[in-house]
């Protein structure tokens, strides 16, 4: 139907396009694209008011779709100037070639159809009449913007806005040009000036909210939507979901929850709503509420994979998980998502053979399925390493692989050589792969010099919210502690390792050095950290996973956060180096050579030894050596370190096995020099010399 409407508009059969578009909307009343096409068809017949009403409805259904707002901007060009049909516009031009506004409106309609060549032709004709007319310049600016000439669009539209300061069309289009340029504050200002004089464009608030969000002002963005949420005519399902997402980003979980629950009730199949609501429940510790709501939704909408997947997140135990997957597969026997969930569940139960059987079923249903294929290949790496090496090398020779997939295959090829007890070849492969990705990695942080003149420890008053920092050098398996906390503690934050990292001082590479040089005070760092907590969804207590540890931060804890506790993941330093070479690290640090990595790791662990021996701050060492593959044991030690009781994690939570404790001894030949560098600090930390 969409193509039929567009084809009718292209050949000038506007009445046919309008009739088809109305039918499309009647059968798809909640589809924003249906209303967008109706707006195009209505505009083509000259009914500008109906066109604007339709595009406003489309925006209400998809409030954060910038393309819909852009189309509305186009409808404003010439709005209120035309009360005749599109065919009459052609007649007007034929009778009087100097009818500038007719050309402009035709050009605007062509832009709406994405017929940029026709729009440019009409703009050239209009330029013969008045090449400096602000409306013509607006059309030219919009064309430049659609063509990707952003600088030209900004210049042309700025000039049009200056020449016609009371005309809103150039200013509206200028807002989009500023957006494309990345000047979000200017875009916001331009749209606000339009909204101030055109209050009927209320859905423009959604675009302003989007801009506020992109500037990092999630709470202000959510507040911007309040008038729209208060009006039943504009409080659409999509707008409530958007507002819920914004409140969630602002850490206002209590405000987000009812908005997202309402959106789910209206549209249980919307993946964004389900994902956001799942996060809200998780943050607020409302597992029982989540189970009840999702069970009710599944009772009426059992054919939606997203609901089943979310319900699996809140399974009370693994037995219930098995039952849920069985129901899911029975209800949707052709569901690939159900099979994927079953494979994941088997892995969580440490049922590798069952997981591989499901992976085979997935591969049969969806040949080329990445995760299933990788699961089968990993099993081959363990059982038949020679065959796995041959397969991996064949896959690498074929080419066309995504960089992440290539890196994983290189990693598994090295593991296959490790399984064959060929340490020299394994180290050579590790080293070569690190050189390939070196430019994509962060430089090793410069560590501060040892210090003895620490601030006096401030005394906690007992009123402070509990704070803990999770740290671990590369190879310590700190990410396994994070996995346990992520699934069991709503106040844990691992967002420093994702796309929405907090913009506080603890995220900056230079902070430890600036603290050590006294250029930055502990109070400045503490203030920066505390100010960022609300946007991270934290009101009080928090367990914050840091990118890396430097003893310069001791001053921060002693002076500003006396209630804070440091939780340090630790293993034998030589196993840590081996793991870092084999698997990389959560903080993607650059390895130029095994020796340089060993030198940095030794210096980092010397700081841990100093911290521990001198008891510089309250801390716990969580030694992972003998429990690295035992989630329950790790959870027990981690709970003791934090002074809390953590729920029992699933046995397969950690996924792929890593190299076992003591494996470093098999590499004593090719890495002899590196292990010699690490031996002194290993001894200080309580590990044997050999």
């Amino acid at each position: 139907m969409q193509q039929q409407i567009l084809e009718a508009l292209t050949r000038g059969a506007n009445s046919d396009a309008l009739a088809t578009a109305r039918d499309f909307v009647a059968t798809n009343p909640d589809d924003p694209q249906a209303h967008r096409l109706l707006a195009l068809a209505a505009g083509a017949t000259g009914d500008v008011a109906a066109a604007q009403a339709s595009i406003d409805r489309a925006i209400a259904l998809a409030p954060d779709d910038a393309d819909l707002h852009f189309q509305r901007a186009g409808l404003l060009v010439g709005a209120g100037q035309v009360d005749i049909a599109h065919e009459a516009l052609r007649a007007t031009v034929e009778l009087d070639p100097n009818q500038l506004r007719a050309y402009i409106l035709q050009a605007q309609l062509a832009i709406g159809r994405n017929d940029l060549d026709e729009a440019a032709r009409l703009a050239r004709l209009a330029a013969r009449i008045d090449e400096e007319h602000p409306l013509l310049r607006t059309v030219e600016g919009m064309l430049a913007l659609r063509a990707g000439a952003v600088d030209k669009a900004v210049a042309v539209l700025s000039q049009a806005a200056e020449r016609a300061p009371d005309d809103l069309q150039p200013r509206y289009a200028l807002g989009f040009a500023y957006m494309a340029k990345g000047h979000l504050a200017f875009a916001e200002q331009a749209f606000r000036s339009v909204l101030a004089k055109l209050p009927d464009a209320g859905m423009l608030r959604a675009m302003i909210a989007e801009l506020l969000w992109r500037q990092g002002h999630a709470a202000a963005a959510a507040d911007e939507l309040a008038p729209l949420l208060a009006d039943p005519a504009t409080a659409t399902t999509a707008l409530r979901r958007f507002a819920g997402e914004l409140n969630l980003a602002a850490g206002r979980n209590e405000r987000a929850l009812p908005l997202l629950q309402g959106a789910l009730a209206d549209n249980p199949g919307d993946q964004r709503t389900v994902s956001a609501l799942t996060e809200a429940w998780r943050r607020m510790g409302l597992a029982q509420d989540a189970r009840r709501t999702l069970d009710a939704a599944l009772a009426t909408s059992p054919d939606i994979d997203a609901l089943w997947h979310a319900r699996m997140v809140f399974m009370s135990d693994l037995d219930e998980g098995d039952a849920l997957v069985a129901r899911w597969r029975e209800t949707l026997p052709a569901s690939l998502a159900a099979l994927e969930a079953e494979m994941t569940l088997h892995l969580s139960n440490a049922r590798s053979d069952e997981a591989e059987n499901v992976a085979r079923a997935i591969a049969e249903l969806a040949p080329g399925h990445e995760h299933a294929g990788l699961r089968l290949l990993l099993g081959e790496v363990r059982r038949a390493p020679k065959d796995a090496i041959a397969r991996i090398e064949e896959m690498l020779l074929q080419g066309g692989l995504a960089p992440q997939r290539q890196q994983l295959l290189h990693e598994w090829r090295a593991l296959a050589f490790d399984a064959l007890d060929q340490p020299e070849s394994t180290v050579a492969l590790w080293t070569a792969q690190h050189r390939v990705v070196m430019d994509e990695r962060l430089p090793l942080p410069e560590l501060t010099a040892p210090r003895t003149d620490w601030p006096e420890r401030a005394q906690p008053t007992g009123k402070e919210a509990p704070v803990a920092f999770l740290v671990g050098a590369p190879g310590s398996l700190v990410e396994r502690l994070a996995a346990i906390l992520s699934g069991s503690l709503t106040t844990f934050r691992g967002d420093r390792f994702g796309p929405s990292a907090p913009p506080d001082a603890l995220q900056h590479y230079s902070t430890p050095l600036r603290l050590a040089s006294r250029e930055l005070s502990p109070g400045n760092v503490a203030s920066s950290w505390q100010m960022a907590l609300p946007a991270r969804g934290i009101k009080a207590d928090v367990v914050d996973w840091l990118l890396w540890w430097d003893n310069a931060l001791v001053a921060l804890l002693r002076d500003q956060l006396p209630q804070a506790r440091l939780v340090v993941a630790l293993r034998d330093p030589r196993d840590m180096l081996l793991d870092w070479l084999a698997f990389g690290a959560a903080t993607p640090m650059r390895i130029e050579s095994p020796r340089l990595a060993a030198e940095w790791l030794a210096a980092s662990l010397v700081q841990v030894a100093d911290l521990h021996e001198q008891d510089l701050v309250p801390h716990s060492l969580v030694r992972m050596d003998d429990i690295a593959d035992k989630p329950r044991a790790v959870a027990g030690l981690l709970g003791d370190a934090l002074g809390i009781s953590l729920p029992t994690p699933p046995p397969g939570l950690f996924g792929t096995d890593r190299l076992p404790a003591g494996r470093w001894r098999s590499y004593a030949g090719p890495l002899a020099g590196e292990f010699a560098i690490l031996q002194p600090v290993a001894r200080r930390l309580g590990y044997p010399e050999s």
Side-chain angles (χ1 to χ4, degrees), residues 370 399-408:
E370 184 174 10
L401 298 172
Q404 189 175 5
R405 178 75 173 271
Q406 270 190 328
Q407 183 180 344
L408 187 62

Side-chain angles (χ1 to χ4, degrees), residues 264-574:
L264 180 73
D266 289 346
N267 186 7
D270 182 62
Q271 180 65 62
R272 278 178 58 179
T273 301
V274 174
S275 296
L277 188 51
T278 298
E279 175 63 13
W281 279 323
R282 190 196 66 80
R283 285 189 188 181
M284 299 174 72
L286 299 176
Q288 186 174 351
D289 183 37
R291 287 192 284 266
R292 183 171 55 250
T293 302
L294 290 168
D295 285 341
L298 284 168
T300 57
S301 304
D303 57 337
I304 297 175
D305 280 322
L307 293 176
W308 286 103
H309 190 275
R311 183 62 180 84
M312 292 290 294
V313 172
F314 296 101
M315 59 185 180
S316 56
D317 53 43
L318 291 174
D319 287 339
E320 185 191 21
D322 286 330
L324 280 169
V325 164
R327 284 174 50 209
W328 187 355
R329 291 201 59 188
E330 182 180 358
T331 305
L332 299 172
S335 170
L336 188 61
L339 280 169
E340 291 169 338
E342 184 176 13
M343 183 173 68
T344 301
L345 190 66
H346 285 317
L347 291 172
S348 297
N349 271 307
R351 301 186 297 230
S352 298
D353 292 343
E354 291 89 336
E356 285 192 39
N357 289 335
V358 177
R360 289 188 186 91
I362 293 173
E364 291 177 6
L365 184 64
H369 189 282
E370 184 174 10
H371 291 155
L374 291 176
R375 169 48 47 187
L376 294 172
L377 180 57
L378 182 57
E380 194 171 16
V381 166
R382 292 168 178 162
R383 290 191 307 271
K386 285 185 179 180
D387 294 341
I389 290 170
R391 281 192 60 199
I392 290 170
E393 290 179 346
E394 182 182 355
M395 293 169 71
L396 290 170
L397 283 174
Q398 289 175 354
L401 298 172
Q404 189 175 5
R405 178 75 173 271
Q406 270 190 328
Q407 183 180 344
L408 187 62
L409 290 176
H410 281 294
E411 180 181 298
W412 286 2
R413 181 173 61 163
L415 288 178
F417 275 101
D418 173 80
L420 292 171
D421 286 321
Q422 297 184 19
E424 290 82 4
S425 297
T426 307
V427 171
L429 288 171
W430 286 337
T431 304
Q433 185 55 24
H434 278 289
R435 285 176 182 155
V436 169
V437 300
M438 190 166 60
D439 292 341
E440 304 168 14
R441 300 292 185 258
L442 299 170
L444 294 172
E446 182 179 349
L447 299 171
T448 60
R451 174 179 172 182
T452 57
D453 57 333
W454 297 111
E456 290 293 327
R457 288 189 183 183
Q459 294 302 312
T461 64
K463 297 180 180 179
E464 300 93 347
V467 171
F469 292 104
L470 176 66
V471 298
S476 66
L477 298 183
V478 63
E479 57 270 27
R480 296 195 166 183
L481 303 185
I484 287 176
L485 292 174
S486 178
S488 59
L489 201 62
T490 60
T491 54
F492 171 72
R493 290 294 176 269
D495 49 354
R496 297 186 182 279
F497 297 83
S500 302
D504 61 19
L506 292 180
Q507 196 70 14
H508 298 167
Y509 252 45
S510 63
T511 294
L513 293 172
R514 294 176 67 198
L515 274 171
S517 67
R518 311 297 203 274
E519 179 187 347
L520 194 63
S521 73
N524 293 144
V525 178
S527 176
S528 167
W529 176 75
Q530 288 164 339
M531 288 177 63
L533 289 178
R536 303 170 70 190
I538 294 296
K539 290 185 175 180
D541 52 321
V542 63
V543 179
D544 196 350
W545 183 15
L546 301 184
L547 297 177
W548 82 99
W549 175 258
D550 188 294
N551 273 359
L553 297 176
V554 165
L556 168 68
L557 272 62
R558 291 172 71 103
D559 186 62
Q560 295 291 318
L561 299 169
Q563 80 278 23
R565 184 167 195 84
L566 197 63
V567 177
V568 186
L570 188 64
R571 296 171 74 201
D572 186 309
R574 292 150 298 193

